[in-house]
Amino acid sequence: MLKPFDVMLVGVGGQGTLLATKVLAKAAQKKGYDIKVSEIKGMAQRGGSVVSQVRLAEKVHSPLITEGGADVILSFEKLEALRWLEYLKPGGTIIINNQSINPVPVLTGAAEYPSGVVEYIREKVNNTKVVNALETAVNCGSARTANVVLLGVLARYMPIEKETWLEALEEVVPDKFKKVNNSAFAAGYTI
Amino acid sequence: MKELMSGNMAIARGAYEAGVTVGVGYPGTPSTEVLENFARYPGIYAQWSPNEKVALEVGIGASLGGARVLVTMKHVGVNVAADPLFTLSYTGVNGGLVLLSADDPSMHSSQNEQDNRYYALMSKIPCLEPSSSQEAKDMMAAALDISERFDTPVMLRTTTRVSHSQSMVEIGERKEHELKEYNKNPQKYVMTPANARGRRRVLEERLRKLQEYAEKSPLNFVHEGDGEVGVITSGISYQYVREVLPGASVLKLGITNPLPENLIRRFASRVTKLIVVEELEPFLETQIKAMGIKVIGKEYLPKIGELNPRRLAEALQNAGIKVSDRYQAAGWLVKEKAPAVPPRPPVLCPGCPHRAAFYVLSKLKLTVTGDIGCYTLGSLSPLSAMDTCVCMGASVGMAHGMALANSSMKDKTVAVIGDSTFLHSGVTGLMDMVYNGGSSTVIILDNRTTAMTGHQDHPATGRTLMGRPAQEVDLEALVKALGVKRVQVVDPVDIDNFEQVVKEEVSAPEPSVIIARRPCALLSKEPRAAVTVDPELCIGCRLCLKLGCPALSIQDGAAQVNTILCSGCGLCVQVCKQGAIVKGGRDNA
Ligand SMILES: Cc1ncc(C[n+]2csc(CCOP(=O)(O)OP(=O)(O)O)c2C)c(N)n1
């Protein structure tokens, strides 16, 4: 019996959430899960808020996760972590990439980027893990692999073995980026 | 072999496996990927048409020519294609014809959330509704069989969650379908009143047979539960029902037009409480009630927006029905006293040529009748330079109408329309304005692509869906042929010149067209250096922020450029009165 597991990946268009979702789905497929993935991606290139929902079980019905449903939320950006916080299951884990990307209303001065986001979430959620994926990615050789670093962090919280993740990663990313992605994943996995 | 596929990919696969050889459509979220995926299969033909009406007409021709055909569009596209659709129902088909209508409850990327099942009802054609990618693939094949067996077009109706969610699909082999012979048959294909009256009777007879078929079809099935609570549902709602009411008996309707009345009656008689769960309108509910069956429905379930397990659970609980533990309590984290979360609306990309156009229109304080595309984002703050958006093509007729109603608006109004949208349905509006002596100005934002839906080609891009070179529409010549004498082609990013041209044309006493031509920033390949700010010269006046560019902000009293995002278009360089922003520069990669 495979353990049902619901994950949300949230972030900003252009951060690589879609690729991360692909790898996650591939790994789950190798593990033998039934999978449903839901994405609203029409505006992904236009700098909007993007969400991928991945549901895993022996048999999945709804493709949607609702409030209080996600075992893990992996947030690529701080503000997005707060935006989707209600979706976390009581006792669930939230992984936050410690990066701020200003929405346009903030850039134009019409709104403010809130301070104390991480502190607030820490107070509410026992299992809050904050990582600096961008820095780790740069250390691994490419800022572009921040999404794979985050996947590495996520992998530790999921009922899927590391080897399976690595196989999935190799199948999804193009050959020429294999090495840097493998090291980014490994770095995330040990954070 | 099983593959993870979106509903749209699965429909394309289903069409390929079932021997479809002609695919036609017009892009529109959430339908677009169906044809894009279909176009990649070997041994088929696929094309974008300029609009949905033409797409369906090409599809009808292909069907009469004997091929199996798939025609794709979003829900509002069916409004455009409705005219041929209603009479296609009379003529019937030769090769199987399936019309995909991808509806968008909650309006993730649409201007309304109409429920297109009513089109099937009104045009008297069968409607099939899948609830997963596997069903989407299987129903595509089933729809073609129904189409040929009953001599009718079939609507395959998805919603955003079916089209865009991914789930596992069993992949099969393609079965080639033999081209059917075309036989001349005016009684069937020439809908003069006399012939149409004959077909009108055929229609009723066909519906009766289809209903009989629906009574026995495996597309309508019962998931046996406890017999206490019974649910009748269709489409994605089925998945939510299974999740929230795991013990209930469920009559899942794969065919939602016509309804299998006897099956519904038998099911109703076996359960104590009967609920109809459907998104949007009470389409099934109204018809089931008309059968004299008592049901719980929209008095508890929302009509507005898409369902999800949580919304469904709340509605059911209000109706006194027990839901699964997981969805019972509102036991989730409530964000009390949380910092306020500013919205993150979609924005025009850095380097987008539309930004330049709207900056100028906003500066000139013109009334702008708008249209649909990426450029509709020009209506948002800080540009706030669009007054209306109704449907594709509406901008042109509306500008003319405004000037007719109030002549003082004549010199203060422009219509703004994208290139793909102009070819879709702006041409006739312009023809109307010229013919009827209007004098409005139309700005065609020609970014050389259909950007909004993911960069599809159209008749003025010089390429087809299958990647072949094509004859390009000459927009200048086209508008001149309609009788517009004042036509200027300009680069909107040269904002001083653009402003001058707009002023000239708006005040001209005759119709005019400005073609604002510059390719979409996401299509241009050559990387340009980001702009730089001279902190000595920048006075922090925030003028550049009026552009709403995601690469610009003010920090510590001076403009800051996000060099990763900046495309180097130089719009801010032109806007800055201090000369503090310069193109290229030292600290750029
Ligand atoms: C009848 C209809 N069909 C399709 C759509 C989906 N749609 C909205 S805008 C658009 C085209 C946008 O292209 P263009 O006018 O060139 O503007 P751009 O996005 O490139 O700026 C499409 C296909 C729609 N809203 N209505």
Side-chain angles (χ1 to χ4, degrees):
Chain A
M1 182 67 183
L2 293 161
K3 183 178 185 274
F5 208 86
D6 294 345
V7 187
M8 279 173 72
L9 290 84
V10 305
V12 179
Q15 281 194 299
T17 52
L18 296 186
L19 181 103
T21 305
K22 227 175 171 172
V23 178
L24 166 53
K26 183 62 93 184
Q29 197 180 336
K30 287 179 179 295
K31 176 87 184 174
Y33 271 114
D34 184 28
I35 308 165
K36 285 198 177 168
V37 178
S38 190
E39 290 164 341
I40 294 289
K41 55 187 170 187
M43 290 290 168
Q45 261 180 326
R46 315 283 184 269
S49 160
V50 289
V51 192
S52 301
Q53 311 194 336
V54 183
R55 303 202 63 204
L56 313 175
E58 293 275 341
K59 172 90 188 123
V60 183
H61 291 294
S62 164
L64 291 180
I65 300 171
T66 54
E67 292 87 340
D71 292 280
V72 177
I73 295 179
L74 175 62
S75 181
F76 287 50
E77 201 271 351
K78 285 195 300 188
L79 190 58
E80 296 310 306
L82 184 55
R83 190 186 312 281
W84 298 99
L85 193 60
E86 281 115 329
Y87 283 73
L88 193 64
K89 192 182 262 182
T93 299
I94 186 160
I95 302 164
I96 308 172
N97 180 24
N98 198 6
Q99 188 187 354
S100 313
I101 299 175
N102 285 330
V104 164
V106 171
L107 294 178
T108 59
E112 251 182 67
Y113 196 99
S115 56
V117 168
V118 168
E119 292 72 13
Y120 178 83
I121 297 176
R122 273 194 205 284
E123 199 178 295
K124 293 274 173 190
V125 182
N126 284 338
N127 312 322
T128 302
K129 187 159 178 81
V130 182
V131 295
N132 193 333
L134 203 55
E135 193 183 281
T136 309
V138 170
N139 290 341
C140 291
S142 166
R144 288 180 176 277
T145 58
N147 57 345
V148 179
V149 171
L150 289 169
L151 263 188
V153 182
L154 171 69
R156 286 282 292 274
Y157 295 89
M158 289 197 54
I160 299 174
E161 296 72 28
K162 187 177 176 190
E163 295 66 45
T164 314
W165 281 98
L166 287 171
E167 280 171 34
L169 185 64
E170 297 224 344
E171 281 176 35
V172 174
V173 300
D175 273 349
K176 55 178 174 178
F177 301 123
K178 246 182 206 159
K179 246 184 92 186
V180 61
N181 276 301
N182 280 346
S183 65
F185 183 87
Y189 199 78
T190 48
I191 283 179
Chain B
M1 192 187 58
K2 278 197 165 185
E3 251 184 59
L4 187 65
M5 284 188 163
S6 68
N8 281 351
M9 288 166 76
I11 291 168
R13 179 77 208 179
Y16 169 71
E17 287 179 10
V20 170
T21 51
V22 179
V24 205
Y26 182 72
T29 314
S31 72
T32 314
E33 302 83 6
V34 175
L35 213 52
E36 288 179 328
N37 277 284
F38 181 69
R40 293 189 197 118
Y41 286 109
I44 60 91
Y45 171 83
Q47 71 160 52
W48 292 127
S49 287
N51 68 34
E52 293 85 352
K53 177 178 183 306
V54 175
L56 182 54
E57 289 156 353
V58 172
I60 297 172
S63 160
L64 297 203
R68 284 193 147 186
V69 184
L70 170 62
V71 183
T72 71
M73 57 195 66
K74 71 181 291 172
H75 62 332
V76 288
V78 181
N79 299 337
V80 178
D83 199 11
L85 176 64
F86 278 72
T87 306
L88 168 61
S89 173
Y90 281 53
T91 65
V93 301
N94 186 25
L97 186 148
V98 174
L99 171 67
L100 168 77
S101 164
D103 293 13
D104 190 17
S106 280
M107 299 169 269
H108 295 283
S109 340
S110 304
Q111 67 268 36
N112 76 28
E113 63 172 4
Q114 66 190 46
D115 187 333
N116 272 12
R117 295 178 297 178
Y118 286 107
Y119 268 120
L121 184 73
M122 193 172 169
S123 65
K124 297 174 180 285
I125 64 172
C127 180
L128 270 53
E129 289 189 76
S131 73
S132 66
S133 297
Q134 182 69 54
E135 278 189 4
K137 192 190 99 162
D138 295 345
M139 282 192 186
M140 179 67 218
L144 285 162
D145 288 337
I146 293 172
S147 173
E148 285 170 0
R149 180 161 161 195
F150 294 93
D151 189 7
T152 175
V154 176
M155 176 181 282
L156 181 64
R157 187 243 187 191
T158 63
T159 52
T160 301
R161 295 298 174 182
V162 173
S163 276
H164 281 178
S165 298
Q166 300 161 42
S167 53
M168 303 305 288
V169 177
E170 188 69 46
I171 303 297
E173 296 286 312
R174 173 165 167 104
K175 284 201 222 49
E176 294 297 338
H177 200 79
E178 213 170 305
L179 201 66
K180 288 191 161 182
E181 197 183 336
Y182 167 73
N183 292 309
K184 186 171 171 130
N185 185 351
Q187 282 79 29
K188 185 167 183 298
Y189 296 131
V190 183
M191 286 303 93
T192 53
N195 289 339
R197 282 180 208 118
R199 294 299 298 175
R200 177 70 186 85
R201 283 191 291 275
V202 174
L203 219 66
E204 291 307 316
E205 181 57 20
R206 184 178 78 198
L207 263 184
R208 199 187 53 72
K209 287 187 185 145
L210 277 163
Q211 189 191 325
E212 267 170 32
Y213 174 83
E215 300 283 2
K216 292 183 221 99
S217 165
L219 297 176
N220 296 328
F221 64 85
V222 174
H223 168 81
E224 295 293 349
D226 55 25
E228 163 70 18
V229 174
V231 181
I232 302 177
T233 186
S234 71
I236 194 69
S237 305
Y238 170 71
Q239 304 292 354
Y240 304 148
V241 168
R242 292 296 310 278
E243 182 100 19
V244 175
L245 295 174
S249 299
V250 185
L251 171 55
K252 199 270 191 187
L253 296 175
I255 305 175
T256 48
N257 194 57
L259 292 183
E261 182 167 343
N262 298 324
L263 180 61
I264 290 171
R265 284 189 190 287
R266 281 200 306 276
F267 181 76
S269 69
R270 281 170 28 204
V271 298
T272 322
K273 254 187 191 172
L274 185 60
I275 312 153
V276 177
V277 177
E278 59 192 321
E279 278 177 334
L280 302 182
E281 302 301 322
F283 177 81
L284 304 173
E285 183 182 332
T286 309
Q287 295 183 68
I288 294 169
K289 279 181 173 162
M291 296 170 191
I293 299 170
K294 211 175 138 224
V295 299
I296 299 170
K298 291 292 172 185
E299 67 271 37
Y300 291 103
L301 282 140
K303 258 189 186 175
I304 300 174
E306 59 180 7
L307 286 178
N308 62 37
R310 174 71 59 199
R311 288 188 92 195
L312 176 60
E314 273 167 18
L316 292 172
Q317 282 176 304
N318 288 340
I321 293 157
K322 191 169 170 321
V323 302
S324 76
D325 291 347
R326 177 178 175 143
Y327 293 100
Q328 247 171 41
W332 66 85
L333 205 154
V334 180
K335 284 189 290 201
E336 288 164 318
K337 295 197 214 117
V341 182
R344 197 182 289 280
V347 284
L348 294 173
C349 304
C352 176
H354 299 332
R355 174 175 290 107
F358 286 114
Y359 177 77
V360 169
L361 296 178
S362 159
K363 189 174 165 198
L364 296 178
K365 297 198 167 51
L366 292 168
T367 298
V368 178
T369 57
D371 229 296
I372 311 190
C374 281
Y375 52 94
T376 312
L377 295 172
S379 64
L380 304 180
S381 169
L383 292 162
S384 310
M386 189 181 282
D387 290 69
T388 68
C389 167
V390 176
C391 68
M392 289 186 74
S395 59
V396 186
M398 286 177 67
H400 178 49
M402 275 192 170
L404 287 179
N406 180 346
S407 58
S408 77
M409 292 185 78
K410 233 181 197 161
D411 302 337
K412 298 191 197 84
T413 306
V414 294
V416 164
I417 186 167
D419 47 344
S420 188
T421 304
F422 181 69
L423 294 171
H424 177 280
S425 47
V427 182
T428 41
L430 185 56
M431 189 189 300
D432 171 77
M433 193 214 305
V434 174
Y435 170 56
N436 288 301
S439 66
S440 301
T441 299
V442 176
I443 302 177
I444 302 174
L445 297 174
D446 183 11
N447 62 354
R448 317 295 299 154
T449 187
T450 316
M452 177 92 231
T453 41
H455 298 109
Q456 289 74 31
D457 280 293
H458 62 62
T461 65
R463 248 169 57 108
T464 68
L465 170 58
M466 298 184 80
R468 298 192 192 124
Q471 179 65 48
E472 266 179 53
V473 170
D474 180 339
L475 288 177
E476 294 93 301
L478 172 62
V479 300
K480 280 183 182 155
L482 295 175
V484 179
K485 299 205 173 60
R486 302 184 63 104
V487 183
Q488 301 207 50
V489 182
V490 294
D491 177 357
V493 174
D494 180 354
I495 49 177
D496 288 340
N497 181 53
F498 185 65
E499 180 176 340
Q500 204 45 48
V501 169
V502 173
K503 278 186 185 157
E504 259 166 56
E505 297 305 338
V506 166
S507 55
E510 58 175 303
S512 58
V513 170
I514 302 170
I515 300 174
R517 180 168 292 155
R518 171 174 288 235
C520 169
L522 298 178
L523 291 184
S524 68
K525 304 225 162 51
E526 82 291 7
R528 278 177 302 179
V531 300
T532 41
V533 178
D534 185 335
E536 299 285 299
L537 294 177
C538 178
I539 57 167
C541 69
R542 309 177 84 86
L543 195 58
C544 54
L545 295 190
K546 290 221 163 112
L547 290 167
C549 176
L552 283 172
S553 60
I554 296 277
Q555 267 156 40
D556 306 324
Q560 276 254 325
V561 178
N562 180 331
T563 53
I564 296 170
L565 290 180
C566 177
S567 73
C569 74
L571 203 56
C572 51
V573 175
Q574 298 174 64
V575 166
C576 179
K577 291 212 167 86
Q578 312 302 319
I581 312 180
V582 286
K583 272 203 176 186
R586 32 191 164 59
D587 48 343
N588 296 314

